Amino acid sequence: MADAVVEVHDLTDGRDAPQADLDQRDLAFVPRVLAVRRGGSVRFLNGDRVNHHVYSFSPARRFDLRLSKGSAGASLQFDAVGTVVVGCNIHDWMLGYIRVVEGPHFAVTGADGVASFDFEAPLPEGATVSAWHPRFADSDGVVSQPVSARVTIASAKPLKPDPWPASPGYR
Amino acid sequence: MDRLAPRLFLLVVGVLLATLLVVLALADRASRDQALTEANDRLEAAHGVFREQLRLRLASQAQLTEAVGSDFGLKEEIVAATPGSVSLEVTLRNFQRRGGAAWALATDPEGRILASTTTALPADTRLPFEDVLVEGGAGSLRRVDALLHQVIATPVHAPRPLVVGWLVFGFPLDDANMQNLKQQTGTTFSLLDHRDVRTAVLASGLDPAAREALPDRLLPQEGFTTVVLPQRGEDVVLVRPLDAEAGDRIHVVMQKSLSEALEGFRRLRLQLLVTSLLALALAAAAAWWLSRRISRPLTDMAILARRLGDGQFDTALPAEATGEVGTLARALTVMQHGLRERDEALRAVAYVSGLTGLPNRAGLVDALRPALAETPHVAVVVLDLDHFSDINDTLGHGVGDGLIAEVASRLANAAPPGTRIAHLGGDQFAVAIPVEERGDLDGRVGWIAASLAQPVTVEGLALHLGATLGAAIAPDHGDTAEALLRHAESAMYRGKARRDGGLTVYDPAHDHHSRQRLALMGELRGAIERGELQLHGQPKVHLGRGEVVGVECLVRWQHPVLGMIAPDRFIPLAEQTGQIRQLTAWVIDAATRAMRAAEDQGLSIRWAVNVSALDLLSDDFAGRVTQAMAVAGLAAGQLVIEVTESAAMTDPELAVRQLGELRRAGVKLSIDDYGTGHASMAQLKRLPVDELKIDRSFVKNLASDAEDEAIVSATIALAHRLGLSVVAEGVEDAATAARLAALGCDEIQGYGVARPMPVAELVDWVARHRSAVRAFVGGVAA
């Protein structure tokens, strides 16, 4: 599945997370699912042709930003682990997720639904890998499994509906 | 009632009325059905409008609610809110006002109310209708606070699909809405909730009185019906469920006034009514007219029929009737004519004498009846041809009939105008003559005798006619034709009896007399049996010897009512009825007994008994007499049989024989009432008599009347020369007795000697009056 945030847990070596940017293009959030390490910050951009009023009421991070078009926007720090559901007040259909993870080993699956990890050291015994997806009905939307070289994570429960209805787009 | 006119009238009017009523009823029904159909159509249309309105409202309300639900401020408030948050409530109130909702509330994602603008749905309670909390729900109807609301719930996304809560608006369906609907559709709407025991009217466009009454009068079932509400009259009603989700409980009731709908038809009905009444009046008049045209001729015909029954055959029917009635009228007229002819024919037979063509007794009576009513003075004369039976017997009935016919024709020709003639039958005719006065009658009957004066020639024979007439005059002698005829006949018979050839006028006294006589006749037979007869005797005295030598027996009738009836009153009756035989037999019997008794007492005389012609006519008379004498042990010579001249002459041959037989037996025979009868000398000579009795009429005035004396003298001489003894009857005094003695009479009898007395007294009388008798006839040389 695309847009799944995969994390390998219990690895302590730190690594800097890349810069997380949340942009709006064509009246949609880009990326749709953004993963950020706890304590990290997310830069909010507006690459769209219109203004956006980005917000979230998620307990993990509440914020609302008015981003005029083309603005570089602000940066917000995310200090709590959890899911931050992001919407645009002007454009009701816009939906994005910022998944704040413990880190440092995490990635978002691509269109092919694959996230790859390179590890220098072998993984300790008991390490798990988890995947979060907005469609997972599991608690918190997270499914965990013991790690192995190649892991396929699937939710045992039926998936929730696709939260991204087709965007009406420009008319 | 039975009369034709009213019946026909009522029938036509009744039928027409019934028809009109049916038509009116049908028209009423049809117009009502029509009004109902139209009303139903309109109601359905109104319902459609209503539903469409609801739908549109819901749509706009939903849009509104959604728009409000996506308000960022609201999202913030909701996310931050705790149940009972005032800030949220204020915000909601603001949005509620903006949206035109009745109330607004916000819930958490689970349906717990965070804040509410209505106390009916307070904060911190669960929303009672959680089922509306459905994403994309179109809203539903819920009852909140006694009003029905369109409840729209929209999820508050932050963002979609994350639901942070629900915004719920309530838009009321209240009276104002109903009024709006009413204005738009012309239909009155009401919303009824049947959830509770008593149906509640949630909203209505009705006036208070009707609104109050509606739940009671309307049944909670779907479809069309009608209802009558106060101050509204009758409405057509359509009931539909309001919301499928609300179940059967909430109905929208749409109603339109039926009365208004029927208004248009009312005019039609009025026109129909007026036309009907007019038609009715016309039909009634026509029916009346027609029935009169029928009933009047029928009444006339009924009158004709009634008059036919009364014997009147002259009723004229008006000729106007046509058709069957006319046919009947003509038939009746023909019948009347036929009946008249038959009646006349019958009359002719019943009332006319076939032989003479004159009216008969019945015809005369019938004709006289009206005449008597008009003219009180009418004389009825009955005439009877004399000796007609002789003519009939001798010359035959053909001659007799011809005679009658001739008499009839003569009378008819001779009768003066105004006189009615009738042939009563046989040889009797009757003539009815109007008279002014009684004395007038004699002058008016002369023509009758005149017409009969000329001899009638029948079959070459000239017959002389005589008639006896009897007359009775109204009103003295009766006031009915029958009575007059009867009395005239009675008078005629009296005339016949007296051999009076003229006119005898009825005498009521005589009639009474003869009635009495008839009564007596009937009683006479019984008189003999009842012993009412008494034998009396009148002594006969011998002039020479101056002593009683005989007795004439006389019968007296002691009638219980009339008293003593003398023989001349009832003897003729007895002769007429033939009872004389029994009478004579009784006399013989009584006389022989008296003779026996007298004989036993030493009185030895001759007893005389009167005998009638009828007695002589019976063959055994002589035998019976002699036998009676023998039985009594009496010598035949002691009995004298007295017969009158006329009696002896009735059948001379037979008389001679009987008397001869008696004579040979030794009985003495005497001719009574000599000189007054019709016997001729020659006949007398042949009778074997011993004695002659001179009638009292000659004796009475003997002393003074020279002619009487001459007759008596000659009779005595004649009798003596023939060898007969003479008795003079009716001697009343000594002078007469002396005279008779001088003339040589043998015996006398009369009141001067003695009145008749009961035979029982005779012996005694004779004994006591010996010297008186001798003195009476004394001084007379034997």
Side-chain angles (χ1 to χ4, degrees):
Chain A
M1 284 174 71
D3 303 316
V5 177
V6 180
E7 184 185 8
V8 181
H9 294 276
D10 297 335
L11 296 182
T12 55
D13 56 340
R15 208 155 84 178
D16 282 330
Q19 171 66 38
D21 287 331
L22 188 64
D23 196 2
Q24 298 98 60
R25 299 255 170 84
D26 292 334
L27 304 176
F29 287 116
V30 176
R32 296 199 304 195
V33 173
L34 184 67
V36 69
R37 192 172 176 184
R38 185 170 64 84
S41 62
V42 174
R43 198 169 55 167
F44 288 89
L45 313 167
N46 185 351
D48 214 342
R49 285 191 277 163
V50 296
N51 295 339
H52 288 286
H53 182 192
V54 177
Y55 73 94
S56 176
F57 289 116
S58 300
R61 184 67 166 99
R62 289 185 61 179
F63 66 92
D64 71 285
L65 297 169
R66 294 177 198 276
L67 303 167
S68 47
K69 58 182 179 191
S71 80
S75 272
L76 292 174
Q77 189 161 344
F78 288 78
D79 293 323
V81 168
T83 307
V84 177
V85 185
V86 182
C88 174
N89 197 30
I90 301 169
H91 310 98
D92 292 329
W93 60 86
M94 288 174 63
L95 174 69
Y97 291 93
I98 299 176
R99 179 80 180 146
V100 183
V101 296
E102 189 58 52
H105 300 282
F106 59 91
V108 180
T109 61
D112 54 2
V114 175
S116 306
F117 291 94
D118 279 319
F119 293 107
E120 293 159 356
L123 295 170
E125 206 56 49
T128 57
V129 61
S130 70
W132 174 95
H133 194 273
R135 292 186 75 176
F136 282 168
D138 307 80
S139 70
D140 288 339
V142 175
V143 178
S144 293
Q145 266 183 245
V147 71
S148 64
R150 200 177 178 83
V151 175
T152 303
I153 302 181
S155 170
K157 301 188 180 172
L159 295 174
K160 293 199 272 191
D162 188 347
W164 288 283
S167 161
Y170 296 108
R171 261 181 278 280
Chain B
M1 77 188 87
D2 291 334
R3 292 198 49 228
L4 182 62
R7 271 173 120 194
L8 194 57
F9 174 81
L10 281 177
L11 183 69
V12 169
V13 166
V15 167
L16 198 55
L17 198 61
T19 310
L20 289 173
L21 285 174
V22 168
V23 167
L24 276 174
L26 286 176
D28 247 8
R29 176 84 170 274
S31 60
R32 187 188 163 84
D33 286 349
Q34 175 72 0
L36 274 174
T37 307
E38 278 182 22
N40 292 344
D41 289 346
R42 293 233 178 83
L43 286 177
E44 285 285 18
H47 185 226
V49 167
F50 174 70
R51 282 210 310 272
E52 186 60 19
Q53 273 217 347
L54 276 189
R55 195 182 65 75
L56 288 174
R57 263 168 57 119
L58 268 176
S60 68
Q61 285 154 6
Q63 281 186 349
L64 174 89
T65 310
E66 266 185 50
V68 170
S70 58
D71 184 273
F72 192 70
L74 183 65
K75 291 188 203 195
E76 282 182 315
E77 287 285 346
I78 285 178
V79 167
T82 54
S85 161
V86 174
S87 174
L88 180 54
E89 186 183 320
V90 169
T91 307
L92 285 171
R93 213 174 282 283
N94 188 36
F95 284 128
Q96 169 203 311
R97 215 173 302 122
R98 264 201 221 166
W103 48 266
L105 55 83
T107 71
D108 64 11
E110 284 73 45
R112 192 167 192 78
I113 299 174
L114 296 169
S116 167
T117 62
T118 174
T119 51
L121 301 163
D124 209 14
T125 63
R126 295 208 79 80
L127 194 66
F129 28 85
E130 290 173 350
D131 47 309
V132 307
L133 304 179
V134 162
E135 172 81 52
S140 53
L141 293 162
R142 291 283 185 264
R143 185 171 164 179
V144 174
D145 199 15
L147 264 184
L148 200 61
H149 297 263
Q150 279 172 301
V151 175
I152 318 286
T154 189
V156 178
H157 292 288
R160 189 173 291 117
L162 182 64
V163 175
V164 298
W166 291 88
L167 174 66
V168 183
F169 274 155
F171 295 91
L173 288 171
D174 58 7
D175 290 353
N177 295 121
M178 301 296 113
Q179 291 291 351
N180 268 343
L181 281 165
K182 186 159 150 187
Q183 277 174 0
Q184 284 177 358
T185 62
T187 303
T188 306
F189 282 80
S190 306
L191 298 174
L192 265 55
D193 186 357
H194 303 288
R195 177 181 51 191
D196 302 321
V197 170
R198 188 168 194 279
T199 300
V201 179
L202 301 175
S204 178
L206 288 171
D207 294 329
R211 183 191 180 128
E212 176 85 33
L214 184 64
D216 296 324
R217 309 239 179 141
L218 192 62
L219 293 169
Q221 63 197 26
E222 255 194 79
F224 286 105
T225 181
T226 60
V227 73
V228 176
L229 294 169
Q231 294 171 10
R232 255 186 93 89
E234 196 180 10
D235 286 347
V236 183
V237 176
L238 176 60
V239 177
R240 288 269 183 253
L242 188 51
D243 189 313
E245 284 168 14
D248 291 327
R249 294 192 329 255
I250 299 186
H251 288 134
V252 57
V253 173
M254 294 146 284
Q255 56 199 108
K256 280 183 78 61
S257 169
L258 188 58
S259 320
E260 279 171 24
L262 289 172
E263 196 53 50
F265 294 105
R266 210 155 281 160
R267 214 158 53 100
L268 171 67
R269 188 213 239 172
L270 190 66
Q271 287 173 342
L272 210 55
L273 197 65
V274 169
T275 313
S276 306
L277 285 173
L278 260 161
L280 200 63
L282 277 172
W288 186 264
W289 175 80
L290 180 66
S291 64
R292 296 285 292 165
R293 271 192 66 96
I294 296 174
S295 71
R296 205 170 312 127
L298 284 179
T299 313
D300 289 341
M301 281 189 264
I303 292 173
L304 178 141
R306 215 186 346 267
R307 282 171 63 96
L308 282 181
D310 286 343
Q312 315 256 39
F313 301 106
D314 54 1
T315 320
L317 284 179
E320 55 181 75
T322 57
E324 289 87 338
V325 174
T327 307
L328 179 61
R330 280 189 291 282
L332 278 177
T333 307
V334 167
M335 184 178 91
Q336 177 178 243
H337 187 71
L339 280 173
R340 178 180 28 225
E341 286 186 340
R342 264 205 284 287
D343 181 67
E344 283 171 357
L346 260 174
R347 234 168 238 283
V349 171
Y351 290 153
V352 166
S353 158
L355 176 58
T356 59
L358 293 173
N360 59 10
R361 175 185 289 267
L364 181 66
V365 168
D366 191 60
L368 278 180
R369 206 179 288 125
L372 278 169
E374 284 170 45
T375 320
H377 292 293
V378 171
V380 172
V381 177
V382 171
L383 61 93
D384 187 296
L385 296 178
D386 298 332
H387 308 299
F388 181 74
S389 53
D390 291 339
I391 295 171
N392 239 3
D393 294 340
T394 316
L395 300 174
H397 285 274
V399 172
D401 287 351
L403 184 64
I404 298 294
E406 175 65 27
V407 168
S409 131
R410 283 201 194 174
L411 285 173
N413 288 335
T419 307
R420 287 176 216 271
I421 307 184
H423 175 213
L424 298 181
D427 63 343
Q428 279 193 5
F429 289 80
V431 175
I433 308 169
V435 290
E436 268 89 55
E437 280 186 5
R438 185 173 176 155
D440 220 13
L441 185 60
D442 293 320
R444 288 178 176 263
V445 301
W447 61 271
I448 299 176
S451 67
L452 296 175
Q454 290 291 338
V456 176
T457 308
V458 176
E459 291 186 9
L461 298 165
L463 303 166
H464 291 264
L465 299 171
T468 310
L469 275 61
I473 310 172
D476 300 330
H477 299 150
D479 53 4
T480 68
E482 291 92 335
L484 286 170
L485 271 171
R486 196 171 57 243
H487 293 159
E489 275 172 347
S490 170
M492 186 272 294
Y493 282 122
R494 199 149 59 84
K496 274 244 194 242
R498 293 202 325 240
R499 300 183 198 280
D500 190 334
L503 175 69
T504 309
V505 177
Y506 175 71
D507 179 5
H510 182 81
D511 198 37
H512 172 72
H513 197 53
S514 31
R515 257 198 257 282
Q516 212 178 47
R517 280 179 55 228
L518 280 170
L520 280 178
M521 268 208 283
E523 292 175 40
L524 186 57
R525 180 193 306 278
I528 299 172
E529 289 157 15
R530 287 191 296 273
E532 287 170 9
L533 297 177
Q534 287 181 357
L535 195 64
H536 287 220
Q538 191 177 37
K540 292 194 240 189
V541 171
H542 192 275
L543 283 171
R545 296 212 289 274
E547 62 181 11
V548 175
V549 295
V551 157
E552 182 181 351
C553 291
L554 301 162
V555 184
R556 293 281 190 270
W557 182 3
Q558 185 69 24
H559 193 275
V561 173
L562 298 169
M564 189 71 77
I565 305 178
D568 57 352
R569 295 273 308 277
F570 65 86
I571 298 288
L573 286 184
E575 284 175 353
Q576 275 182 324
T577 58
Q579 285 176 320
I580 192 68
R581 284 184 235 233
Q582 285 99 318
L583 193 62
T584 308
W586 181 84
V587 169
I588 300 286
D589 180 58
T592 49
R593 274 189 280 117
M595 284 163 71
R596 179 75 257 157
E599 199 63 44
D600 290 341
Q601 287 173 25
L603 182 64
S604 186
I605 52 177
R606 267 215 292 271
W607 292 65
V609 165
N610 285 291
V611 158
S612 76
L614 275 171
D615 294 313
L616 289 178
L617 287 177
S618 37
D619 285 341
D620 60 347
F621 177 66
R624 279 192 282 115
V625 169
T626 50
Q627 187 178 16
M629 291 294 288
V631 163
L634 298 161
Q638 277 181 282
L639 183 66
V640 180
I641 296 294
E642 292 186 14
V643 291
T644 61
E645 273 184 76
S646 320
M649 291 304 112
T650 307
D651 189 338
E653 295 292 335
L654 197 53
V656 167
R657 215 179 18 252
Q658 292 282 349
L659 293 171
E661 203 180 314
L662 283 166
R663 189 86 179 313
R664 280 191 292 281
V667 174
K668 297 284 182 249
L669 298 168
S670 171
I671 296 293
D672 200 359
D673 299 337
Y674 181 76
T676 62
H678 303 298
S680 66
M681 292 292 167
Q683 288 164 319
L684 272 180
K685 198 176 75 167
R686 292 176 58 217
L687 289 175
V689 296
D690 300 290
E691 182 185 277
L692 224 61
K693 292 183 79 177
I694 302 176
D695 188 68
R696 65 190 68 234
S697 57
F698 303 115
V699 173
K700 195 163 153 203
N701 300 314
L702 180 62
S704 51
D705 192 309
E707 285 177 353
D708 281 343
E709 188 184 336
I711 292 169
V712 169
S713 172
T715 307
I716 295 172
L718 173 63
H720 282 161
R721 289 298 284 275
L722 290 175
L724 309 172
S725 61
V726 179
V727 176
E729 292 179 299
V731 177
E732 289 178 2
D733 51 40
T736 311
R739 203 69 219 120
L740 282 164
L743 290 174
C745 184
D746 302 294
E747 292 172 27
I748 58 170
Q749 180 184 340
Y751 284 3
V753 177
R755 300 180 96 86
M757 66 191 82
V759 291
E761 293 172 15
L762 265 171
V763 176
D764 197 48
W765 188 92
V766 169
R768 280 192 283 109
H769 288 83
R770 264 191 228 282
S771 47
V773 165
R774 201 184 299 277
F776 187 69
V777 302
V780 174

